[in-house]
Amino acid sequence: MNKVKFGLSNCHYAVKTVSEDGGVSYATPVALPGAVNLSLDQEGEITPFYADNIVYYSSSNNNGYSGDLEIADIPKSFYEDVLGYTEDSNGALVENSDAVIKPFALMYEVKGDEKPRKAVLYNCMVTRPSVTAATSEDTATPQTDTLNITATPREDNKNVKAVMELSDTNSEAFNNFYKTVYEPVTTPSL
């Protein structure tokens, strides 16, 4: 079992579609290279109920996560597939104010001191990235793009996230993690 985790790599995204009957499906995952940082804070709160002059009962809710995804340079495919940009006949990416940002699953990997972990956030939305540019100085310091991201529960099964650590029994699922969006497998009880 890992004691620490570090590193971020192998980010992928898969555009999500919800059918008329509420079923969720995903496009084939696409690599999102250049991941620098993923920083997500939990969304939800604990609600206490007081009785007998004490907290008699408390409940918590899980509204997912929100934060930032920092990328070296957002690839053209993400601009088109998720952010709704279009390409004109000269190869220019065009942002239109009527473009609809699409929900997607975000998949990624972190290293551990013993074993790697892969994770998927099932229902993500992002804002358009801010535009930044800076003059070059004595050394070339790369500029990055940051997307504000929220990950909320899926509509159909309320799943927010799945995390898989490599083990002796899941190597096939672990090695094929980026071929399709991972769906939990339940073992029937006897």
Side-chain angles (χ1 to χ4, degrees):
M1 175 148 226
N2 288 327
K3 294 179 183 174
V4 295
K5 61 184 177 189
F6 51 90
L8 172 65
S9 63
N10 292 326
C11 279
H12 286 67
Y13 69 91
V15 174
K16 184 183 90 159
T17 304
V18 179
S19 65
E20 287 184 21
D21 65 355
V24 172
S25 62
Y26 296 94
T28 301
V30 177
L32 188 56
V36 176
N37 187 42
L38 176 63
S39 176
L40 298 173
D41 294 320
Q42 64 84 20
E43 291 289 326
E45 60 187 36
I46 295 176
T47 305
F49 172 75
Y50 293 88
D52 295 332
N53 294 324
I54 61 169
V55 176
Y56 193 74
Y57 171 79
S58 63
S59 64
S60 65
N61 61 357
N62 182 342
N63 293 328
Y65 302 88
S66 66
D68 297 314
L69 174 61
E70 184 181 1
I71 301 172
D73 191 22
I74 298 171
K76 178 183 167 201
S77 63
F78 191 86
Y79 276 108
E80 292 177 323
D81 297 344
V82 175
L83 297 175
Y85 283 46
T86 57
E87 182 178 6
D88 76 0
S89 59
N90 290 316
L93 280 175
V94 179
E95 176 184 355
N96 185 284
S97 65
D98 289 335
V100 176
I101 296 175
K102 295 178 184 164
F104 62 98
L106 178 67
M107 307 161 78
Y108 60 93
E109 182 174 342
V110 293
K111 291 182 180 181
D113 58 310
E114 291 186 20
K115 297 178 182 180
R117 291 182 185 148
K118 293 181 179 177
V120 56
L121 295 162
Y122 288 107
N123 190 34
C124 297
M125 285 294 287
V126 293
T127 60
R128 295 173 297 120
S130 297
V131 177
T132 59
T135 191
S136 294
E137 297 176 0
D138 294 339
T139 59
T141 304
Q143 301 291 306
T144 59
D145 294 322
T146 300
L147 297 164
N148 294 79
I149 184 169
T150 59
T152 57
R154 267 176 49 168
E155 299 89 333
D156 58 347
N157 59 19
K158 306 298 183 205
N159 288 341
V160 176
K161 176 174 77 169
V163 180
M164 181 186 299
E165 187 173 283
L166 180 61
S167 72
D168 294 336
T169 60
N170 71 3
S171 62
E172 184 177 347
F174 191 85
N175 293 333
N176 292 316
F177 197 80
Y178 299 114
K179 289 187 177 180
T180 61
V181 172
Y182 177 79
E183 295 286 358
V185 178
T186 56
T187 305
S189 59
L190 300 174

